[in-house]
Amino acid sequence: MVKNFFRLAIRNLLRNKAFSIINISGLAIGMASAIIILLWIQNELSYDRFHTNGDRLYEVWSNDMVNNTVRSLVNTPEIMAPGLKNDVPEIEQVSRVSWDQDDLLTVSDKGLKAKGNLVDSSFLSMFSFPLEKGNVKTALSDPYSIVLTERLAKKIFGNEDAMGKVIKVENDENFKVTGILKYLPNNTQFDFEYLMSYDYKSMKGYIDSGWTGISIRTFVLLKPNTSFNAANSKIKNVIVEHSGGRAKTTEFLYPVSKLRLYSNFENGKPVGGRIEGVKIYGITAAFILLIACINFMNLSTARSEKRAKEVGIRKVVGARKKSLIGQFLGESIFMAFIAGVLAVIIVQLCLPAFNGLVQKQLFIHYGNIYFWLAGTGFILFTGILSGSYPAFFLSAFKPVFVLKGTFKKVNALVTPRKVLVVLQFTFAIALIICTLIVEQQIKYAQGRETGYDRKNLGYVHIQGDIPKNYELIKNELLSSSAAAAVSKTQTPLTQNWSSGISMNWQGKDPNTKIQINRYTEDGDLVKTAGMHLVQGRDIDIKNYPSDSTACILSESAVKVMGFKNPLGQIIFDNPINWHVVGVIKDFILESPYEPVKPFMIKGPKYGGDVIHIKLNSANTTAQNLAKAEKVFKKYNPAYPFEFHFIDEEYAQKFSDEQLTGTLASLFAALTIFISCLGLFGLATYMAENRIKEIGVRKVLGASVANITALLSKDFVKLVIVAIVIASPLAWWAMSKWLQGYDYRITINWWTFFISGLLAVFIALITVSYQSIRAAVANPVNSLRTE
């Protein structure tokens, strides 16, 4: 029985080689696309879900009323963690986690920059980052301990055992390696190369003991079988109580397992996040696989006439409908198995490129039993889905009509085959429309006026000996003609590290909180960054010594503060009064898709962490960088020279949208290709099926153009129907997507027109080859059998 089944399946494959190749190719490409997307989805869904204590791990968030709306933040006071451990009995452990810091690690004469965090000693017990060497309970108990990842240990020590070795951090103090972490998994929010103990910062007296300053993240581990609601209610007013009412925030616990996918908040409530993208890609994977299955259904039913007599004879000799259904389903599963093997090969070949695109390390775990179970289920599902309609369609033939040759129905206006073709192209056209709209949105935001000149502008982080040699470095950069202007600032112009809601000025409503972004400079920022002064002047500490407490406001800040004459106004930002000396045009510091926020640039009272450099346009970039590197090496020899271009970092702000656009383009191309495979197969079959009709028409004088149009128009009609259905669906989907951007395009009618035109053109190209081939064939050969 089984032997006979395989003999029939293989015989049908070989008998119709062209259709078999089209069917298997379409299925393989569809399955490969779905597998790659499902690998990405699985990675996203598994973020930080591998921790043993994952169901008890939470991060502390804060809600604060700003500009009459609730703003949710992950920043917390440094003093909060030990306070929660003492005050909330439901909490088993706590750990502070600093924001990423990029430090120089030196062993002997070898130094390299690495990214790390300060954490409490309990961090390794709370989270399941396995230690290759060391003890999770004691690895960070000493203030001068440091834990390295295996990758970083190999970078620094090569094949030597790093345990117990001494590393100098920031050319300052020595730390002992007390643990080696395995490679971090690619499905965690953490991205450190080393960990240091928060006890070091405490020992040095660097901890901010106030409850109003928010500068780190705080994680807690609840005790087993404890009440989440009880713990959540007890931390709600912890900052208000400890700050004596000066801070008005409320705190809440948020599961670590949800941070990746559900981290968007509106008015204090979670409203989704990356999960929306996961859902969209899941739907895309399902539709791509469905389209591949539709190809199989269409081609199988189109070839029904070829197998009709087989069905009729088998029914006459006693075959039952169930056995026929089983035969046809088995054949489709057999083809799905072949396609599945090809799909895995395609995935392996394409994964490196896809990983580079999405910046992940996705892989197929062949040693995992769940992979084989999921793979088997995936092939069975695909085979049954693609073969179900043909199986029931073919097995339903009546033998008496089949053997008389009268089983075919008159061409109907609506048939399952036409519906399936329309469904295929509906999704393909919708993806084309979405791709065009995403590209328009990206270009719209990229064309937005930034408020400063990014050309030849970059920055260097202040580290090592730069602070004490800053004036010498600045003067030599200018005198060497490497730089046209230099300014020391708090942060890069593409990032915001500080904002305040407690500022006061004359005329402000004391009950209103307004968020003002804060920045610092030591002078010449307007010249260095090419900003536009509206009123007053730039900060100038040399000519105006009092400018150490001067400030510049953006136009938005002037507006929200209600100043008619801003120059000379005093703004109190605890504990200093700042006097306004200038007003600049708004500039984009954060997202180019959002409205520009009110901004205040302070004088050099608090110093800065970054040196912005405007390279000299009279020289080449390479010449300027060579001169600058020489200057920095002279005054800061222990640190590598790293120059960051502002235009490159600004371009990174579009990376998520560009990835969305690239993936949409890729999936649209795949969908069109798979759909066209099916269309090509159908056109081939239709041309073969109407070969005698074409011969008669040619004998009666029909031209090649007439016959080509005859064979193509039915397919074009179906594509036009798909355009009509896809357009409103795509408009609705993209309207919802664009709602996530304050600065967004208006969807134009020509987007749908171009997409439809492109779809019609692709369909015509696909079917025209077979149509023209049939039209130019010699009618003598077509009619010879008559």
Side-chain angles (χ1 to χ4, degrees):
M1 181 70 180
V2 175
K3 183 178 179 181
N4 183 58
F5 159 75
F6 278 109
R7 184 186 293 121
L8 284 171
I10 294 171
R11 184 185 297 162
N12 280 309
L13 283 177
L14 297 178
R15 183 184 298 159
N16 303 280
K17 295 183 181 66
F19 287 99
S20 297
I21 291 172
I22 291 173
N23 258 342
I24 292 174
S25 299
L27 273 181
I29 294 170
M31 292 171 76
S33 303
I35 289 170
I36 288 178
I37 297 173
L38 290 174
L39 285 174
W40 181 86
I41 291 174
Q42 186 273 334
N43 179 266
E44 289 288 324
L45 294 176
S46 66
Y47 255 70
D48 284 312
R49 293 179 181 270
F50 57 86
H51 301 293
T52 305
N53 301 320
D55 59 333
R56 297 188 284 130
L57 278 172
Y58 296 86
E59 185 174 19
V60 180
W61 283 59
S62 298
N63 278 335
D64 197 4
M65 184 66 72
V66 179
N67 300 343
N68 297 319
T69 59
V70 178
R71 180 184 61 166
S72 299
L73 298 172
V74 296
N75 294 13
T76 54
E78 285 188 292
I79 197 68
M80 175 185 279
L84 292 178
K85 185 72 165 60
N86 293 329
D87 297 345
V88 184
E90 287 82 4
I91 293 177
E92 180 178 317
Q93 289 181 313
V94 297
S95 179
R96 292 164 287 192
V97 178
S98 68
W99 294 106
D100 293 342
Q101 51 193 46
D102 199 20
D103 291 333
L104 178 71
L105 307 184
T106 306
V107 176
S108 299
D109 295 330
K110 183 180 180 181
L112 57 83
K113 299 292 288 294
K115 183 165 59 176
N117 302 104
L118 287 171
V119 298
D120 285 303
S121 59
S122 55
F123 179 84
L124 292 174
S125 299
M126 294 169 60
F127 294 89
S128 300
F129 296 113
L131 279 176
E132 189 78 26
K133 296 178 181 178
N135 188 311
V136 294
K137 295 182 179 179
T138 60
L140 291 170
S141 58
D142 189 283
Y144 287 95
S145 59
I146 185 170
V147 173
L148 308 179
T149 61
E150 196 174 17
R151 180 180 284 112
L152 181 60
K154 286 186 177 180
K155 283 183 183 178
I156 299 175
F157 298 103
N159 293 324
E160 293 182 43
D161 186 2
M163 284 294 289
K165 297 291 179 63
V166 175
I167 295 177
K168 182 173 284 188
V169 178
E170 281 296 286
N171 228 22
D172 185 16
E173 296 198 70
N174 292 322
F175 292 80
K176 183 179 179 181
V177 179
T178 54
I180 305 295
L181 279 165
K182 290 183 179 179
Y183 289 103
L184 293 187
N186 66 355
N187 56 346
T188 178
Q189 63 176 303
F190 296 99
D191 188 28
F192 53 80
E193 294 178 282
Y194 70 88
L195 296 173
M196 289 171 55
S197 176
Y198 230 101
D199 291 340
Y200 172 76
K201 193 173 182 180
S202 300
M203 182 190 69
K204 289 291 186 178
Y206 298 153
I207 299 291
D208 182 356
S209 59
W211 282 84
T212 56
I214 51 175
S215 57
I216 62 159
R217 302 173 72 180
T218 300
F219 293 89
V220 304
L221 175 67
L222 297 185
K223 293 178 179 178
N225 304 316
T226 195
S227 170
F228 164 78
N229 291 330
N232 204 35
S233 63
K234 288 179 182 178
I235 75 161
K236 182 176 182 180
N237 296 311
V238 64
I239 292 183
V240 174
E241 293 169 357
H242 284 85
S243 67
R246 285 180 295 135
K248 305 295 184 183
T249 65
T250 58
E251 282 62 54
F252 63 95
L253 299 176
Y254 199 63
V256 168
S257 60
K258 289 188 176 183
L259 291 175
R260 175 70 173 181
L261 300 178
Y262 301 90
S263 58
N264 287 357
F265 285 76
E266 286 183 8
N267 210 26
K269 302 293 182 182
V271 291
R274 293 179 66 91
I275 188 63
E276 306 303 327
V278 171
K279 290 177 181 177
I280 290 172
Y281 290 128
I283 294 170
T284 302
F287 269 100
I288 289 177
L289 185 61
L290 178 62
I291 286 170
C293 292
I294 286 173
N295 275 355
F296 188 97
M297 295 177 191
N298 273 340
L299 291 177
S300 297
T301 54
R303 290 173 50 243
S304 58
E305 186 179 349
K306 301 286 186 181
R307 303 194 66 179
K309 291 182 179 179
E310 173 195 341
V311 173
I313 292 172
R314 291 180 66 183
K315 278 193 170 185
V316 168
V317 297
R320 305 183 71 174
K321 185 174 182 179
K322 286 183 180 180
S323 66
L324 291 172
I325 291 174
Q327 171 71 32
F328 295 130
L329 279 178
E331 288 180 13
S332 66
I333 292 172
F334 179 64
M335 292 180 71
F337 173 78
I338 298 173
V341 173
L342 291 175
V344 171
I345 296 172
I346 294 170
V347 169
Q348 285 297 136
L349 293 174
C350 295
L351 260 184
F354 187 78
N355 283 337
L357 180 64
V358 298
Q359 297 297 301
K360 289 181 179 289
Q361 291 299 317
L362 305 178
F363 62 93
I364 297 177
H365 197 328
Y366 293 104
N368 191 331
I369 184 64
Y370 293 108
F371 163 73
W372 295 105
L373 291 175
T376 302
F378 183 66
I379 288 174
L380 286 173
F381 173 79
T382 305
I384 292 171
L385 178 64
S386 58
S388 57
Y389 175 66
F392 286 97
F393 178 79
L394 291 170
S395 62
F397 286 161
K398 302 292 184 182
V400 63
F401 297 117
V402 167
L403 298 177
K404 286 183 177 181
T406 58
F407 73 99
K408 290 186 289 184
K409 297 180 180 179
V410 178
N411 190 30
L413 180 63
V414 178
T415 64
R417 192 181 308 150
K418 291 180 179 179
V419 171
L420 293 175
V421 170
V422 168
L423 181 61
Q424 277 185 313
F425 274 88
T426 295
F427 185 67
I429 294 164
L431 272 179
I432 294 174
I433 294 170
C434 292
T435 301
L436 291 177
I437 292 174
V438 170
E439 291 297 326
Q440 290 171 43
Q441 172 67 3
I442 293 171
K443 290 180 180 179
Y444 183 66
Q446 287 176 332
R448 186 180 180 185
E449 176 60 43
T450 59
Y452 60 91
D453 184 10
R454 303 191 302 274
K455 187 178 180 181
N456 292 324
L457 181 62
Y459 68 90
V460 174
H461 285 289
I462 295 176
Q463 52 195 349
D465 294 332
I466 291 178
K468 65 182 182 182
N469 295 320
Y470 169 66
E471 289 299 330
L472 293 171
I473 292 172
K474 179 178 180 178
N475 292 334
E476 286 203 25
L477 286 171
L478 294 171
S479 63
S480 67
S481 75
V486 177
S487 181
K488 180 166 63 176
T489 64
Q490 178 186 20
T491 68
L493 276 168
T494 54
Q495 302 173 35
N496 177 38
W497 293 358
S498 177
S499 63
I501 58 174
S502 58
M503 299 177 190
N504 284 303
W505 54 86
Q506 187 176 2
K508 181 189 176 185
D509 182 350
N511 298 316
T512 301
K513 289 183 179 180
I514 299 174
Q515 181 182 351
I516 307 291
N517 286 339
R518 295 181 291 208
Y519 207 69
T520 67
E521 64 151 311
D522 71 335
D524 286 336
L525 179 61
V526 172
K527 178 182 177 182
T528 304
M531 294 177 174
H532 306 288
L533 271 173
V534 178
Q535 295 183 52
R537 57 176 176 82
D538 196 359
I539 292 171
D540 186 353
I541 197 72
K542 292 182 179 178
N543 296 313
Y544 303 92
S546 64
D547 272 9
S548 62
T549 57
C551 71
I552 298 174
L553 299 179
S554 67
E555 289 179 308
S556 294
V558 171
K559 185 176 180 180
V560 299
M561 291 178 176
F563 294 148
K564 292 183 178 179
N565 299 301
L567 299 183
Q569 295 284 349
I570 302 298
I571 300 171
F572 176 74
D573 190 8
N574 191 34
I576 295 174
N577 286 319
W578 302 86
H579 59 282
V580 181
V581 298
V583 178
I584 59 170
K585 283 189 175 182
D586 289 333
F587 69 94
I588 298 173
L589 184 69
E590 297 174 291
S591 172
Y593 297 102
E594 298 175 357
V596 175
K597 295 176 182 176
F599 206 84
M600 173 184 179
I601 302 176
K602 298 179 179 180
K605 182 70 176 179
Y606 293 126
D609 297 309
V610 167
I611 300 175
H612 276 95
I613 302 170
K614 186 73 169 182
L615 298 178
N616 191 342
S617 60
N619 306 322
T620 65
T621 301
Q623 289 172 334
N624 287 326
L625 291 180
K627 292 178 181 179
E629 183 176 12
K630 186 177 180 181
V631 172
F632 278 96
K633 280 294 184 182
K634 177 180 178 181
Y635 292 104
N636 194 34
Y639 285 75
F641 174 68
E642 296 179 340
F643 190 85
H644 306 271
F645 286 95
I646 290 293
D647 56 356
E648 291 179 357
E649 292 209 352
Y650 186 79
Q652 288 298 312
K653 294 178 180 290
F654 303 94
S655 59
D656 286 346
E657 286 72 25
Q658 286 173 331
L659 176 60
T660 300
T662 302
L663 291 177
S665 301
L666 175 63
F667 297 145
L670 284 171
T671 304
I672 284 289
F673 179 75
I674 295 170
S675 300
C676 287
L677 271 180
L679 205 60
F680 181 82
L682 283 176
T684 302
Y685 175 77
M686 294 304 176
E688 289 179 2
N689 204 39
R690 301 177 70 176
I691 191 70
K692 292 181 174 63
E693 175 192 346
I694 293 169
V696 171
R697 288 179 179 272
K698 289 195 71 175
V699 169
L700 295 177
S703 65
V704 172
N706 293 145
I707 294 172
T708 302
L710 174 71
L711 296 175
S712 302
K713 67 178 182 180
D714 289 339
F715 294 110
V716 173
K717 288 177 183 177
L718 297 179
V719 174
I720 291 173
V721 173
I723 293 170
V724 173
I725 297 172
S727 296
L729 291 175
W731 177 87
W732 173 80
M734 295 314 294
S735 294
K736 287 196 67 176
W737 180 74
L738 289 171
Q739 290 302 313
Y741 301 96
D742 294 295
Y743 190 80
R744 57 180 180 266
I745 63 168
T746 300
I747 299 177
N748 296 304
W749 64 268
W750 54 263
T751 302
F752 303 95
F753 177 76
I754 290 176
S755 301
L757 205 62
L758 181 62
V760 171
F761 176 74
I762 292 171
L764 280 174
I765 291 294
T766 303
V767 301
S768 61
Y769 171 76
Q770 288 297 340
S771 300
I772 294 172
R773 184 183 174 198
V776 299
N778 190 339
V780 174
N781 297 327
S782 305
L783 300 173
R784 183 170 292 166
T785 58
E786 292 297 322

